[in-house]
Every structure is written in structure tokens, then in C-alpha cells.
Amino acid sequence: MNVLLLYPTWTGVYGLFGHFARRNSTWPTLNLALLAAIAERHGHKVAILDGEAERISLDEMVRQAVERKPDIIGLTATSPFFHLSKAVAEGIKSVAPHIPIAVGGPHITIMKEKALLPAFDYAFIGEAEESWPAFLNALEEKRDVASVAGIIFRRDGTLVSTGQPADITRLDDLPMPARHLLTMSHYRLGTLRGRLPFTSIQTMRGCPWRCIFCASEALKTTEMRVRSPRSVVNEMKSVVEQFGTRHFYIVDDVMTLWKDHILEIGELIDQEGLQVTFEGSTRANLVEDEVIARLVKSGLIRLSFGLETVDPEIRKTMKKQVPLEHYIRANGICNKHGVEALNSVMIGLPGETRETVRATLKFLQHAREVKQANFAIAVPYPGTEFHELAVKGDKGVKLMTEDFSEYRRYGSAVTTVGDLTPHDLIDLQNEGFVSIYSAPWRWIPMLQKHGIIGGSLMLLRVARLVWGKLFKRSAASTQFVSLGDGGFGSVPDMPVAIDSGQAANSPDLVQIEPLDRELVAPAGHYGSPTRPNG
Ligand code: B12
Ligand code: SF4
């Protein structure tokens, strides 16, 4: 079968700043590359059209897709960009209605039948490493696809759902993502060391926590699976040899969850003599001095953590379970070892008021260890507890729209929170940006990361916001977004350099709240059942 996988360009919705966001960081589509490798393993001929990397508009993507005459097309979708996959599918169907179109990804897993719009023929639920090849083989052999678990499709006008797909337990058995189908030179990530050619890599799946703004439960990510460090480092080695790419973004939800795991990866990188750098995202309570010191030797250059808010009540409600003090300490550890630390902050969680937002900003102004932060508006993505609260209007949060294309984090808000309207939230986001970013001594790292043109645009943004404030124009009417950095789940983000001063003394750490259940490490790798680090 000729399989064509499409990744529609998405930063376009952010306008001119989206252009610079993409210039600063362009990500490979890891899921489609993995599904492509699996299809190739089963003897299918696969191509990937990455609209984001190749700078292909939606219309052009439709044209090229139809011209290639594939036997089946596959699209992926997150909630805020589902409308783009839908637009591409509709475009294709309008000129080539006979080409079957499948869609998968987090949005489909969460929305299920509701996502099977007329332009799509098949919707894939959950992890598709088994269902995808089984489906392709059935289609090719003209067998009934109803025998494949994990899909939804229409038959004689009614929806057929084949239930949950098989659990993917043995990550080591999966092939390496088919990066040879991507133009690897297009993928770059802005860091303080420049725009590094990079690729993403996954070393484990899952996260045991259940923050209310994260779709962890709906995506079943609380089921932990882990790859062997050997297979991870083999993949890194092959990427270096095949493509010369030496920077890796580890897409694990919590990169330092099991320290033995990540330390062993570091150990093997060293044993192999791989000259690589890597980064990832974690929780501040899982940042330990010795671990970071060790990982830096193997190439760790950046860590991201979600600080979110300083308000104690909101922190309780959001269920992140990381005491605030850990952020000061984690940033301090990163600074000490020369690791770039990105802190993400959220505005608009349940309980938010002007005062709580300003308290967070004040904290950031005084937390001298924190050098970079970005300000996102909290979005109640479907499948999250936050979404449920907002739909019901609980805890002072009310959902204003179910139009997911508005579910961006920058220059767009979809809830009211207490007295704060969506416009107030956008105003506060801009105010936060100005408050932190107008200090000239914070501009150096920004220029370092975004270059002269990108940096100037940022300064222009600050100037326009200040101008808007001076002349009492609503900042919400100028819907700016910030330049991309590529921190975890946060593009386009503008990391804000907050301070370049000396680290202050960290307060004593308080004990981390325990998980409400025992966490068992996946069998075979790390000995007896264990709790995560921290
Ligand atoms: C790395 C990452 C990013 C990176 C890279 C994205 C990329 N190009 O690959 C960046 C930083 C760019 C990013 C951006 C965003 N992200 Co993000 N991201 C992730 C993260 C951490 C890992 C994704 C990944 O590679 N997983 C590994 C692959 C193998 O798994 P997978 O993508 O789920 O794919 C499997 C199935 O879904 C299915 N599948 C997927 N597509 C298809 C297609 C077909 C045809 C089939 C058959 C099957 C199928 O099969 C795959 C194999 O099992 C996830 C969290 C997570 N743990 O997954 C969040 C996550 C996907 N991101 C999320 C969000 C919200 C965003 C943003 C909207 C943030 C923003 N800026 O506003 C943007 C959206 C970008 C976009 N184009 O859609 C949410 C999505 C929630 C939702 N309701 O859709 C997630 C789930 C985080 C969370 N827990 O809430 N993200
Ligand atoms: S936000 Fe991070 S820690 Fe919280 S549930 Fe999601 S992945 Fe886990």
C-alpha cells in the first residue's frame, strides 16, 4: 500500500510571530515517523509530508497529497489544531473523495466518535502501534477492518467502534522512528547555545500524577512503560551516524522520574563516546544536584519545569503536588551546573484573581534563581479535570466556547475565572510579559536565543504594549503571541529572562506530598517495585 502521512502547518495561526516561532524551533512529527516505520516494517511504502518543516500551506498540502495518489492518508491532531487536519481532509475529499483518510492523535483519543467528522473515514483511538499495521494489512487484503481493535468508522451510515486498542507494553520492540522520511536539516531548536539541529526521542511513556490541566487520565498516560537505556542510546547513536544530528529533545513527560533510568542513559552515552546534547521536561522536585551534575557530563543542556502559580490555594486545586520551594532549588541547581532552566507559568487556573497573578509576577521578580519563564493562559483542554470543572462552571471557572481552535495559550482565552473575563486574562498575560520583560538587562539572553530580528520583534512587542497601556488601549485588542522556544508542550513560548544575578539562599525543602498510590516501576528494568525519585 502507498501510505501518505500528513502534518499540517500549525504555527501559521500565530501570524507573523508564528513565522519567527517556526524559524526559532521546528519540531519533527515523532508520532507519524514512528507509525511510518511500523508501516514500512509491514512492507508498505510510506511518505511523510511535514507542512510545518517544508513551509507548505494547507492548500498546497491538499494539492500535493492528491497528486501523489496514495492508497490511504493519515493525519494527526491535538485539540487546538484539529481544525487544520479537518481542513486538509475536507480539501482532499473535495477533489479526491475516493482516497480513504484516517486520523489519530490525542484529540481523537479523547473525543472518540465526536472526532469522526464526515471528511474522515477512520478514527484511531489511543496508541496505534498495533492497530495501525493491522488496519493497513486488512485494507490491503480487502479484509474487514472491524476485526482491528482501536478504530471507529462508518458502515451503512452507522458508526462502528472496535473498542480499545491493545496496550503497548514492550517499547523496545518498536522500530526507530522513520526519520529518513523527514528532511532532518529542517528541525531546529532555539537554545542559549544557538539554534541546534535536533530530533525528538522518547525513553518512556507515562506520568503517575494527575494535574487538573493535563489530559493524563484520558490519554491513559498514568500507565507507565519504559524503554531500556540501551535501546535509547542505540537510537541516539544511529541518529548521529545517519543524520549527524547531535541534539535530542526527550519527550518523556517526566524525564528524571526514575533517576536510575536517565543516569544509565547518560552512562551509555559516555561509554559509546557519543558527542551529543539533550534536554527534557521534569518536575522541580525531581531535580537533584548529583543527578544533574552527572547528566551534564553526558550532554544535558536544558530542563523545563511547570511552576504554574505561587498561590497556595490554586496550587492545591491544580494537584501538581510540587511544593513551591522546589522551584527555587531546581533553578539554583540548573544555574550551578550551567543548565538552561525554563519555567512555565499559567494564568487563569481555578481561583485566579488579579492579585494572585500579580503575586506570581512578584515572586518571579524576586526569585533571583529563576532566569527564564513563559506566561501561558491555562487552557481547559478536553479530557482534563479542568475542562470538566469549566463545563460545569465549578470553582469559579466557566467555559466560554467549545471551539477548540481557540484553545491556544497565547493571545486567546476561553474561560472566565471568578471576575476575570477572557479579555482580562489576555490583558494580564500581556501585563506579565511587560512587567518581566521591559527591563533592558533581561534582553541579552533573549537576543542570544532569538537573534536580532526575533529579538527586535520582541522588543517591538514590549514597546507596543507599553504604548497601549499609556494610551489606555486594551492590550487584548492587540493579540500578540510570543516567539517559540520549544519547551515542553509550549510552542510558541517566549521564555522570559528574569534575572542574571547570583543565586540567593534557597529555603529548606518541605516534604513532597505522597502519591495516592504506590508506583511500580515497569518490570525488568529497575529491580523491585519502587517509588519515583523525590
Ligand atoms: C513533544 C510534545 C510536543 C512538541 C512536539 C510536537 C510534535 N510535533 O510532535 C511541541 C512542543 C511542539 C508540542 C506542541 C503542542 N502540544 Co504537545 N506534547 C508533546 C508530548 C510531550 C509528547 C508527544 C509525543 O511525541 N508523543 C509520542 C508519540 C509516539 O505519541 P502520540 O503523539 O500520542 O501518538 C500516538 C497516538 O496518539 C497515535 N497517533 C497519533 N497520531 C496519529 C495519526 C494516525 C493516522 C494514527 C493511525 C495514529 C496516530 O499513535 C501514536 C503511537 O501510538 C505530549 C504528551 C505525551 N505524553 O504524549 C504533549 C501533548 C501532545 N501536547 C499537547 C498540547 C496541548 C500541545 C500544544 C497545543 C501546546 C500549545 N503550544 O498550545 C501544541 C500543539 C502542536 C500541534 N501541532 O498540534 C497535549 C495535547 C492535548 C490535546 N487535547 O490535544 C499533550 C497530550 C500534553 C498533555 N498531556 O496535555 N507538543
Ligand atoms: S502536567 Fe506533567 S506532572 Fe502533571 S500530570 Fe501532566 S505530565 Fe504529569
Side-chain angles (χ1 to χ4, degrees), residues 392-413:
K392 288 189 210 141
D394 279 358
K395 300 205 179 200
V397 186
K398 206 165 147 217
L399 192 65
M400 304 305 284
T401 176
E402 289 273 9
D403 175 358
F404 298 124
S405 67
E406 291 295 318
Y407 283 39
R408 289 171 277 139
R409 299 172 178 180
Y410 302 92
S412 168

Side-chain angles (χ1 to χ4, degrees), residues 402-434:
E402 289 273 9
D403 175 358
F404 298 124
S405 67
E406 291 295 318
Y407 283 39
R408 289 171 277 139
R409 299 172 178 180
Y410 302 92
S412 168
V414 295
T415 52
T416 58
V417 186
D419 294 339
L420 299 173
T421 65
H423 269 198
D424 292 336
L425 289 171
I426 298 169
D427 270 347
L428 281 165
Q429 184 179 40
N430 285 326
E431 181 183 319
F433 185 85
V434 173

Side-chain angles (χ1 to χ4, degrees), residues 5 7-10 14 27-32 34-35 38 73-82 102-110 124-129 131-132 168 200 202 205-206 213-216 219 221 249 251-253 379 381-384 407-410 486-493:
L5 299 173
Y7 187 57
T9 178
W10 61 285
Y14 293 104
W27 286 70
T29 166
L30 189 64
N31 46 19
L32 294 186
L34 178 56
L35 294 171
I38 292 168
I73 285 175
L75 282 149
T76 185
T78 55
S79 297
F81 300 105
F82 176 61
V103 65
H107 185 70
I108 320 306
T109 300
I110 293 163
F124 278 74
I125 307 304
E127 294 177 330
E129 283 86 350
S131 53
W132 175 239
I168 308 301
S200 45
Q202 189 169 46
R205 290 186 182 176
F213 49 78
C214 186
S216 58
L219 296 175
T221 60
Y249 189 100
V251 299
D252 306 359
D253 286 328
V379 177
Y381 291 115
T384 63
Y407 283 39
R408 289 171 277 139
R409 299 172 178 180
Y410 302 92
F488 156 64
S490 56
V491 166
D493 288 347

Side-chain angles (χ1 to χ4, degrees), residues 64 71 107 111 134 143 165 184 222 267 289 355 401 403-404 408 424 443 485 489 526:
Q64 289 193 24
D71 299 315
H107 185 70
M111 301 304 289
R143 283 187 283 111
M184 287 288 282
T222 44
E267 197 61 50
D289 198 323
E355 290 66 41
T401 176
D403 175 358
F404 298 124
R408 289 171 277 139
D424 292 336
W443 296 351
D485 175 86
Y526 303 106

Side-chain angles (χ1 to χ4, degrees), residues 58-68 92:
L58 298 187
D59 287 346
E60 179 60 14
M61 175 165 270
V62 169
R63 200 191 61 73
Q64 289 193 24
V66 173
E67 196 179 79
R68 289 175 189 224
I92 293 168

Side-chain angles (χ1 to χ4, degrees), residues 42-233:
H42 284 258
H44 303 287
K45 197 164 169 285
V46 193
I48 301 177
L49 201 50
D50 181 343
E52 186 69 15
E54 308 284 344
R55 314 283 195 263
I56 300 172
S57 68
L58 298 187
D59 287 346
E60 179 60 14
M61 175 165 270
V62 169
R63 200 191 61 73
Q64 289 193 24
V66 173
E67 196 179 79
R68 289 175 189 224
K69 297 191 173 59
D71 299 315
I72 172 97
I73 285 175
L75 282 149
T76 185
T78 55
S79 297
F81 300 105
F82 176 61
H83 66 292
L84 301 178
S85 294
K86 172 179 169 263
V88 169
E90 284 172 350
I92 293 168
K93 285 290 181 190
S94 69
V95 283
H98 58 280
I99 304 177
I101 302 183
V103 65
H107 185 70
I108 320 306
T109 300
I110 293 163
M111 301 304 289
K112 302 194 169 55
E113 287 82 359
K114 287 188 200 146
L116 190 68
L117 302 180
F120 301 118
D121 299 291
Y122 304 95
F124 278 74
I125 307 304
E127 294 177 330
E129 283 86 350
E130 287 202 12
S131 53
W132 175 239
F135 164 83
L136 291 177
N137 295 344
L139 213 60
E140 184 170 45
E141 293 156 17
K142 303 201 175 3
R143 283 187 283 111
D144 188 358
V145 293
S147 60
V148 177
I151 57 175
I152 303 171
F153 59 99
R154 276 176 293 269
R155 176 179 282 161
D156 304 328
T158 49
L159 286 185
V160 180
S161 169
T162 63
Q164 284 298 318
D167 282 339
I168 308 301
T169 50
R170 297 167 58 92
L171 300 187
D172 277 7
D173 293 349
L174 300 178
M176 288 182 208
R179 296 186 177 87
H180 59 277
L181 300 177
L182 303 170
T183 312
M184 287 288 282
S185 57
H186 286 335
Y187 304 106
R188 299 238 168 193
L189 206 45
T191 72
L192 283 178
R193 297 170 189 226
R195 282 179 69 233
L196 303 179
F198 88 110
T199 192
S200 45
I201 189 167
Q202 189 169 46
T203 90
M204 68 167 101
R205 290 186 182 176
C207 161
W209 288 277
R210 296 181 174 99
C211 304
I212 65 162
F213 49 78
C214 186
S216 58
E217 197 76 52
L219 296 175
K220 288 185 40 174
T221 60
T222 44
E223 287 170 18
M224 305 292 307
R225 278 80 36 86
V226 67
R227 281 174 74 179
S228 67
R230 171 43 70 193
S231 101
V232 174
V233 175

